[in-house]
Amino acid sequence: MKRICLNDNWKCFVTGKRDTAIDVTLPYDAMLLDEKDDESVTGVNLGWYVPQDYSFEKTLLAPKEWADQITVLYFEGVYHKATVYVNGIKAAYKDYGYTGFYVDVTKLLKYGEDNTILVEAINTDQPNSRWYTGTGIYRPVWLYQMPQKHILINGIKVDTLSIDPPVIKVAVSTNSEGQVTCAIAELDTEVKEITNADGVAEITMELPGAELWSPENPKLYDLKVSFGDDVRTERIGIRTLEFNAKKGFAINGKRVILRGACIHHDNGILGAAGHEFSDYRKIRLMKENGYNAVRSAHNPCSEAILRACDEMGVLMMDEYVDAWYIHKTRYDYATSVEKNYRTDLKALVDKDYNHPSVIMYSTGNEVAETAQARGIELCGNMTDYLHELDPSRPVSCGINIFFNFLSSMGLGIYSDKKAEQEVKNVKKKKAVGSEFFNNLAGILGADFMKFGATLYPCDVLTRDAFARMDFAGYNYGINRYVHDLKKYPERLILGSETFCSDAYRFMELAADEPRIIGDFVWSGMDYLGEVGVGSWEYQDYAPDFGHGKGWVAAGSGRVDLTGKSLSEADYTRVAFGLKDIAIGVIPVKYADQKHSPSAWKMTNAMASWSWEGCENKKTKVEVYARAYEIELLLNGKTIGKKRTQNDCRVVFDVTYMPGELKAVAFAENGKVIATTALLTAGEKTQLVAEPELTAINSDGDLAYVRLKFTDQAGELKPLERDHIKVSVTGGELIGLGSACPYYEGSYLDDVCDTYYGEALAVIRPVSKGNMVINAVSLNKNLTAAATVEVR
């Protein structure tokens, strides 16, 4: 089978307005072209964008030799309600925006001629999501070509039968009978078998000497499968999954505790555009920050994410959908789930099946339907169907335990009626549904939801649904763990959504109880939409805390919108036992000021002791260490000593003075465990442009360049702020912005504001050679330049 990339040379225009056409390269998010309006019905969900419908058009030359082949287009993701036309003829329609789909165009192409491929994406049916979706063809497009006798698309499925010795089973589905050959060249293996009358061959392969795939050793092999002239290659990993009350969750017989993070599908300042390079970067950032697992919230992840997880040894919880049949927003997918779930789940399994990183499926998120007989039945039906499609992987569903109780009382966060009210109340700026609850949680704090989950009715209204899944997915239910483990001896508990501050407690509980499978924090990386839900922002950066126009991001990440690790990530790594010690400082300039409220923020501390002009101002300093006692020193003088109490975090009141801020962690016997320090930046300020990579490939790689105000030694100066203009030679600037959840500008502009001294530029190379990035600080008259080699 040939696989041809069709990402180049597309036209994008507002549907019905061809005069708006621009040249684009896929993947592309057209919503970034749209205006924002404080009366937009998208509101806090999408960040006040006013989405339009967009069309994407491409001319495709079909050589005459294609005529005797089968030709199929594969769209990895179009948001949403996509209609595909080939030479003016409707070829396909796909309503769900997160599932890939195939279009057989064999009989629609004109061979030896140019052909027109037109894709129309509808996104004016607003609101249709609780987060930023993007618009259009936001994931790659491929053309597959197969001979008349061929292996079916997704027709190769590989299972590990044994790990000692390594044995796999390869099931190959074809469209006719014939001889199938399987081989792994690296292991010098080859097996042949004739397909049966149903066009399915099942081949058992013994693989002596093969290495097992695991998070610590993500070894992959290329399996070559041939059927006549049709040759496919599947990257596979050899590993087994096991889950039970005695062992918990195990890979290759060894227990694994899931240190997980929830991630959304967008790529920050690039919007929803699913560049492979950006998806790989996201997974790398999660792994570097201590997470060994990710949850694709709340929709199927991209294929690039799966490849990245396979290669880096990061485990995947791949989720289906955010709503079942109760609308969370007026025009969301809830109308279609009961009708489409079998087709959608099959597409999910077909995509995931051969990826060793995929360890479980999730059927939904915070679906209050699980408190109703109809929803409980649907839960069981989806679990059973996933087991039928893929017997090897467990199934879960993230249930907000407290939400189920509120729903049963007629106080549900989500309902069809509230979805209607959300639209009507936009102009009144009256919060309903999840926005109302998020605002309430921000005021009352994280403990509000966790306490609510302990109420007795919460157990009654979740137990039947939990009984119909392999892992009981608890959203914000850590206060129930001990009680429920005693009451339900066979229940396996997964913290499917948790607060950052739960990390230490989770690790302590999981260390002693294998039935606690893992923890997925909300969220690993910040994301667009659901604006302000996780933000602690001051008025210097957010003139109002009402989450109106200007607010674009959630502010919920342990890693911010640009990929920078925050002090919450340091805390998490220490809680997980992956880092010895770290210091976080509440921004001194703002320490006595009010900030926007959020339950999803543990702290807004940052690892900096450079607060020029803030001498003698009071702030709080946090130190994270798994220690008996922690000492904090400023310029060699002890500020104080504190013992840890059921956490790895202690907080000191400190008066700011420049110099060295040092923390020392002690064991109970007085022995020093670890030390760390922060230094004040020097007086002189410079603008620097720092590429994350100094050399990239021309085929698909992107240059991420961080723009920073620092001293001469490179120490960040977070109080320096200015607008920066960026120009590029040898590349195309495709994203520019900061991590601030409140951002009035466009990420498509060539000028951006900084946030705590930083911004980020993302550049796509247009040719090989040296790509030069120039930055100018408009008011400070500082310049910076960086060179990235494009190979």
Side-chain angles (χ1 to χ4, degrees):
M1 181 177 76
K2 286 184 180 179
R3 186 171 183 257
I4 302 170
C5 180
L6 294 187
N7 286 343
D8 295 334
N9 302 317
W10 287 80
K11 297 282 187 183
C12 172
F13 54 90
V14 177
T15 298
K17 299 180 180 180
R18 296 189 66 89
D19 59 336
T20 64
I22 58 174
D23 295 325
V24 300
T25 299
L26 303 181
Y28 190 78
D29 175 10
M31 192 185 289
L32 292 178
L33 300 170
D34 293 331
E35 299 294 327
K36 302 172 191 173
D37 191 289
D38 58 9
E39 293 188 356
S40 170
V41 294
T42 68
V44 299
N45 298 323
L46 271 67
W48 304 96
Y49 278 94
V50 183
Q52 302 181 84
D53 299 334
Y54 281 91
S55 296
F56 291 73
E57 187 176 81
K58 179 181 178 65
T59 299
L60 176 67
L61 173 63
K64 290 183 178 180
E65 54 267 29
W66 285 11
D68 61 350
Q69 301 285 304
I70 304 296
T71 302
V72 176
L73 301 181
Y74 175 38
F75 295 87
E76 288 194 27
V78 183
Y79 199 88
H80 72 155
K81 295 185 176 178
T83 304
V84 180
Y85 298 90
V86 179
N87 296 323
I89 300 173
K90 182 178 177 179
Y93 171 79
K94 183 67 177 179
D95 50 354
Y96 193 33
Y98 297 108
T99 299
F101 60 99
Y102 299 88
V103 185
D104 189 336
V105 297
T106 307
K107 296 180 181 180
L108 298 175
L109 293 177
K110 300 175 182 178
Y111 298 100
E113 301 180 35
D114 283 339
N115 296 264
T116 300
I117 310 297
L118 178 68
V119 181
E120 295 180 349
I122 294 174
N123 207 9
T124 52
D125 57 338
Q126 294 292 336
N128 61 47
S129 175
R130 296 187 304 115
W131 57 83
Y132 180 91
T133 61
T135 302
I137 311 178
Y138 69 98
R139 286 177 180 166
V141 179
W142 303 91
L143 184 147
Y144 292 161
Q145 276 202 330
M146 301 166 286
Q148 295 294 328
K149 294 181 62 174
H150 58 264
I151 301 169
L152 300 184
I153 292 176
N154 297 315
I156 302 170
K157 289 186 167 55
V158 182
D159 292 287
T160 300
L161 301 181
S162 168
I163 58 173
D164 188 17
V167 180
I168 63 172
K169 182 184 75 174
V170 183
V172 184
S173 299
T174 64
N175 71 338
S176 58
E177 294 186 17
Q179 189 177 66
V180 174
T181 301
C182 296
I184 299 177
E186 186 177 348
L187 297 175
D188 194 26
T189 62
E190 183 169 316
V191 177
K192 296 182 180 180
E193 185 166 315
I194 305 298
T195 60
N196 62 24
D198 295 327
V200 178
E202 290 193 355
I203 301 170
T204 300
M205 300 179 68
E206 297 184 9
L207 306 174
E211 296 180 46
L212 302 182
W213 186 96
S214 68
E216 299 77 23
N217 180 47
K219 175 62 179 177
L220 297 170
Y221 291 101
D222 289 331
L223 171 69
K224 181 179 178 182
V225 181
S226 301
F227 175 67
D229 294 331
D230 193 7
V231 180
R232 312 275 180 96
T233 299
E234 289 282 329
R235 298 209 79 191
I236 66 168
I238 304 164
R239 61 103 180 97
T240 58
L241 302 179
E242 183 181 359
F243 49 96
N244 53 57
K246 182 177 181 180
K247 188 172 287 188
F249 173 73
I251 297 177
N252 302 327
K254 178 183 176 183
R255 187 193 177 200
V256 175
I257 298 174
L258 303 180
R259 308 185 309 271
C262 300
I263 56 173
H264 263 307
H265 76 293
D266 72 82
N267 280 309
I269 64 173
L270 297 180
H275 297 277
E276 180 165 7
F277 188 87
S278 303
D279 283 352
Y280 267 71
R281 176 179 181 263
K282 184 187 298 183
I283 297 304
R284 174 177 57 79
L285 289 171
M286 293 297 94
K287 183 172 183 178
E288 289 174 353
N289 282 280
Y291 300 107
N292 67 358
V294 291
R295 174 191 178 204
S296 182
H298 303 292
N299 44 260
C301 69
S302 70
E303 299 206 14
I305 288 283
L306 293 181
R307 290 192 292 270
C309 288
D310 288 347
E311 294 173 20
M312 299 183 205
V314 175
L315 306 173
M316 167 58 69
M317 175 184 182
D318 209 357
E319 194 155 87
Y320 167 37
V321 76
D322 184 47
W324 286 354
Y325 55 79
I326 296 175
H327 286 279
K328 295 183 178 180
T329 56
R330 184 176 180 182
Y331 297 107
D332 62 24
Y333 195 56
T335 304
S336 303
V337 169
E338 289 179 295
K339 175 181 65 177
N340 291 349
Y341 79 83
R342 291 180 70 87
T343 300
D344 292 339
L345 291 180
K346 186 177 186 307
L348 175 66
V349 171
D350 282 346
K351 173 176 65 71
D352 290 7
Y353 199 94
N354 293 334
H355 290 279
S357 60
V358 179
I359 56 166
M360 76 176 86
Y361 304 111
S362 170
T363 56
N365 169 68
E366 295 190 344
V367 278
E369 294 94 324
T370 51
Q372 303 173 1
R374 175 182 168 190
I376 293 166
E377 181 180 7
L378 179 59
C379 179
N381 289 342
M382 285 197 279
T383 297
D384 291 343
Y385 186 54
L386 283 167
H387 286 160
E388 178 185 329
L389 294 170
D390 185 352
S392 71
R393 290 181 172 99
V395 177
S396 186
C397 177
I399 297 180
N400 190 307
I401 300 168
F402 190 33
F403 280 12
N404 275 27
F405 169 54
L406 294 178
S407 178
S408 71
M409 296 288 291
L411 303 171
I413 307 307
Y414 307 114
S415 69
D416 292 349
K417 182 178 180 180
K418 288 183 178 179
E420 292 279 350
Q421 289 176 339
E422 179 185 37
V423 179
K424 296 177 182 178
N425 290 333
V426 167
K427 293 184 180 181
K428 300 177 183 178
K429 299 294 187 292
K430 183 179 179 181
V432 297
S434 60
E435 181 187 359
F436 172 80
F437 183 81
N438 290 342
N439 292 344
L440 183 63
I443 296 170
L444 299 179
D447 288 340
F448 161 62
M449 198 180 325
K450 291 191 288 186
F451 167 75
T454 65
L455 300 176
Y456 173 71
C458 293
D459 176 27
V460 175
L461 294 163
T462 55
R463 62 191 180 194
D464 291 337
F466 282 152
R468 285 161 173 79
M469 58 187 79
D470 301 304
F471 296 159
Y474 284 43
N475 282 17
Y476 310 108
I478 194 170
N479 289 357
R480 291 202 66 93
Y481 289 5
V482 174
H483 171 273
D484 288 1
L485 288 170
K486 291 179 180 178
K487 187 172 183 179
Y488 302 101
E490 298 302 314
R491 180 179 290 182
L492 304 179
I493 292 177
L494 177 73
S496 41
E497 206 164 295
T498 64
F499 293 112
C500 177
S501 56
D502 293 335
Y504 178 88
R505 185 178 172 198
F506 153 71
M507 286 300 292
E508 295 298 290
L509 291 170
D512 297 328
E513 178 50 75
R515 287 182 292 153
I516 298 176
I517 302 300
D519 173 277
F520 286 85
V521 70
W522 191 267
S523 62
M525 190 166 181
D526 197 15
Y527 56 95
L528 299 177
E530 205 173 21
V531 300
V533 67
S535 299
W536 284 5
E537 205 49 77
Y538 301 103
Q539 285 192 337
D540 266 9
Y541 284 107
D544 71 84
F545 298 158
H547 300 161
K549 180 185 173 184
W551 284 86
V552 292
S556 290
R558 309 320 27 113
V559 173
D560 74 18
L561 206 64
T562 68
K564 179 180 179 179
S565 302
L566 305 177
S567 285
E568 289 178 318
D570 283 334
Y571 166 81
T572 302
R573 279 181 283 179
V574 171
F576 289 164
L578 304 174
K579 188 181 179 86
D580 292 330
I581 192 170
I583 301 174
V585 179
I586 303 300
V588 181
K589 181 179 178 180
Y590 308 110
D592 59 351
Q593 296 183 20
K594 291 182 178 180
H595 56 67
S596 55
S598 170
W600 281 266
K601 197 81 171 171
M602 183 188 81
T603 178
N604 64 346
M606 56 191 304
S608 177
W609 196 241
S610 300
W611 304 97
E612 187 176 359
C614 295
E615 290 77 6
N616 297 315
K617 285 199 67 173
K618 293 182 179 180
T619 190
K620 292 187 182 295
V621 173
E622 304 177 2
V623 182
Y624 319 122
R626 279 183 164 269
Y628 176 73
E629 187 175 54
I630 296 170
E631 181 181 15
L632 187 68
L633 303 94
L634 178 57
N635 297 325
K637 296 181 179 180
T638 298
I639 298 295
K641 292 184 179 181
K642 287 193 176 184
R643 292 180 182 177
T644 59
Q645 294 184 345
N646 300 317
D647 202 349
C648 59
R649 173 192 184 204
V650 297
V651 181
F652 296 88
D653 292 316
V654 181
T655 300
Y656 177 74
M657 290 296 294
E660 180 190 59
L661 184 69
K662 182 179 180 180
V664 183
F666 298 92
E668 190 171 0
N669 62 6
K671 182 180 179 180
V672 173
I673 297 174
T675 63
T676 191
L678 300 175
L679 300 175
T680 302
E683 183 177 347
K684 190 173 182 179
T685 301
Q686 65 177 1
L687 176 66
V688 298
E690 294 183 350
E692 291 185 356
L693 297 173
T694 56
I696 62 175
N697 295 317
S698 60
D699 184 18
D701 283 5
L702 301 175
Y704 278 75
V705 181
R706 195 166 292 279
L707 309 169
K708 303 196 297 185
F709 291 115
T710 73
D711 68 2
Q712 297 300 102
E715 189 72 36
L716 179 69
K717 304 184 78 171
L719 292 184
E720 297 289 348
R721 185 178 182 184
D722 198 3
H723 284 81
I724 298 176
K725 183 178 179 65
V726 175
S727 59
V728 181
T729 302
E732 176 189 4
L733 181 67
I734 62 172
L736 178 66
S738 78
C740 188
Y742 185 95
Y743 192 83
E744 293 183 347
S746 167
Y747 298 131
L748 298 179
D749 289 343
D750 62 356
V751 176
C752 73
D753 192 3
T754 57
Y755 181 63
Y756 288 109
E758 296 190 59
L760 180 72
V762 185
I763 301 100
R764 176 169 45 213
V766 296
S767 60
K768 294 184 179 181
N770 286 336
M771 185 168 61
V772 180
I773 300 94
N774 291 290
V776 179
S777 174
L778 297 182
N779 295 312
K780 297 179 182 294
N781 295 316
L782 299 173
T783 62
T787 300
V788 176
E789 179 189 358
V790 182
R791 297 173 295 216

